[in-house]
Amino acid sequence: MAHDSSHPPAHRVAVIVDEGTNPFEVGVATELFGLPRPELGLPGPLYEVTLCTPTPEVRMNHGFFTLTGVPGLEAADAADTLVVPGRPDNVVPRGAAVLDAIRRAHARGARILSLCTGSFALAEAGLLDGRRATTHWMWADAFRELHPKVLLEPDVLFVDEGDVLTAAGSAAALDLGLHLWRRDHGAEIANAVSRRLVFAAHRDGGQRQFVERPVPDVPDESLAPLLAWARERLGEPLTVADLAARAAVSPATLHRRFRAQLGTTPLAWLTGERVALACRLIERGEERLDVVAARSGLGTAANLRARLRRETGLSPSAYRRRFGPGRGELLVS
């Protein structure tokens, strides 16, 4: 594919489709990284996706359909990011060709991403020993038994270990994909992609996999109106008590509702929204850290620095260099 000379080449993503792979995670990967993004207004794609298979024909999960005409695993050798979706027969060893492709990609510095139970393959390839990872909560016990050297975190949405990232379940694959959009291209672009997907722009990886959805015994207890109200006032000195007062409930009740509906706490949600706003302000060209801190509700430049580094791994100045105005040549990491 030809590229605009002023636009960097697209980041190459390869998705390994093995026997019995779940179609949903393959669809998530292609939806996130393979579709055109005209809403971004860029001269070329930021990612290009290639599927690859160990055999000329691959039956998907439960034989729902068969995939043919897809490149072989040699396509994985050219990928900047290698995606390994899950499959239901996780205790059955993966084929040697698939494991070798994963190991080769990791050895040459490619980013490795597992979706749902794809983490079993990463562990089997030896990539996760001594490292944090997650998998679908239903398979946590089997994972621990098979791979005791992995530091499994079974109750989170995803784990980012830098060069190796693992998502918990099928929907959490979307969370991890949007996390990568933010990591690679900043909050503003990630928000545009999330709007196109009609999906939550930011759920921290530490949020719980399993969120309770009880049928309410009272009229609508949805947090949506409260969240919308709070997002319009992030620069104000909002506290959890303020949120509870707005919702006309006690702080303890508000905490339970956040845990049940969002899988996080009110304070963690509020802090995450403020950091996301700070990122957008920096991307739009605001250079005065005290102004960014005040407008985002983070208070001080010191707190902004600490929170931004915790969420993104970057200082404000590094974030500005990477995602601020005039970053065209840095769009692809």
Side-chain angles (χ1 to χ4, degrees), residues 159-179:
V159 172
D160 181 348
E161 283 281 279
D163 59 335
V164 178
L165 303 93
T166 52
S170 296
L174 284 165
D175 291 296
L176 179 54
L178 287 171
H179 169 75

Side-chain angles (χ1 to χ4, degrees), residues 11-27:
H11 185 101
R12 296 164 298 183
V13 178
V15 183
I16 291 183
V17 185
D18 199 3
E19 186 75 16
T21 291
N22 294 325
F24 183 86
E25 282 99 61
V26 177

Side-chain angles (χ1 to χ4, degrees), residues 6-221:
S6 64
H7 186 73
H11 185 101
R12 296 164 298 183
V13 178
V15 183
I16 291 183
V17 185
D18 199 3
E19 186 75 16
T21 291
N22 294 325
F24 183 86
E25 282 99 61
V26 177
V28 166
T30 54
E31 174 77 24
L32 280 166
F33 304 116
L35 297 186
R37 297 288 173 196
E39 67 272 18
L40 300 182
L42 299 174
L46 297 179
Y47 300 97
E48 289 181 351
V49 171
T50 300
L51 304 184
C52 56
T53 60
T55 55
E57 293 187 359
V58 168
R59 281 165 38 93
M60 304 300 286
N61 185 4
H62 297 303
F64 199 60
F65 59 87
T66 299
L67 199 63
T68 61
V70 176
L73 291 178
E74 65 276 3
D77 294 328
D80 302 306
T81 292
L82 182 63
V83 180
V84 184
R87 64 180 193 180
D89 52 346
N90 300 296
V91 297
V92 177
R94 295 265 182 162
V98 169
L99 296 177
D100 287 344
I102 294 171
R103 294 184 186 111
R104 287 197 308 272
H106 183 252
R108 63 178 174 78
R111 182 168 58 188
I112 312 296
L113 195 71
S114 73
L115 306 181
C116 196
T117 56
S119 51
F120 278 79
L122 270 54
E124 194 174 350
L127 272 58
L128 299 181
D129 285 356
R131 306 183 75 168
R132 296 165 52 245
T134 192
T135 194
H136 194 289
W137 62 269
M138 288 183 63
W139 287 92
D141 290 341
F143 188 97
R144 285 196 185 96
E145 184 175 346
L146 286 170
H147 307 292
K149 295 181 180 179
V150 180
L151 307 179
L152 185 68
E153 297 190 3
D155 197 36
V156 301
L157 292 177
F158 61 84
V159 172
D160 181 348
E161 283 281 279
D163 59 335
V164 178
L165 303 93
T166 52
S170 296
L174 284 165
D175 291 296
L176 179 54
L178 287 171
H179 169 75
L180 280 185
W181 272 96
R182 283 192 304 276
R183 202 176 98 171
D184 290 350
H185 306 296
E188 195 79 0
I189 285 181
N191 283 348
V193 175
S194 72
R195 287 193 297 270
R196 174 79 177 271
L197 293 171
V198 196
F199 193 74
H202 178 72
R203 290 203 298 169
D204 185 80
Q207 291 189 28
R208 295 190 306 161
Q209 288 187 40
F210 183 72
V211 179
E212 299 171 7
R213 302 283 187 186
V215 177
D217 296 324
V218 297
D220 185 16
E221 293 184 348

Side-chain angles (χ1 to χ4, degrees), residues 258-280:
F258 264 78
R259 277 294 187 189
Q261 296 183 36
L262 300 179
T264 189
T265 66
L267 181 58
W269 177 86
L270 192 57
T271 300
E273 290 294 317
R274 284 171 164 159
V275 171
L277 176 56
C279 289
R280 294 196 297 273

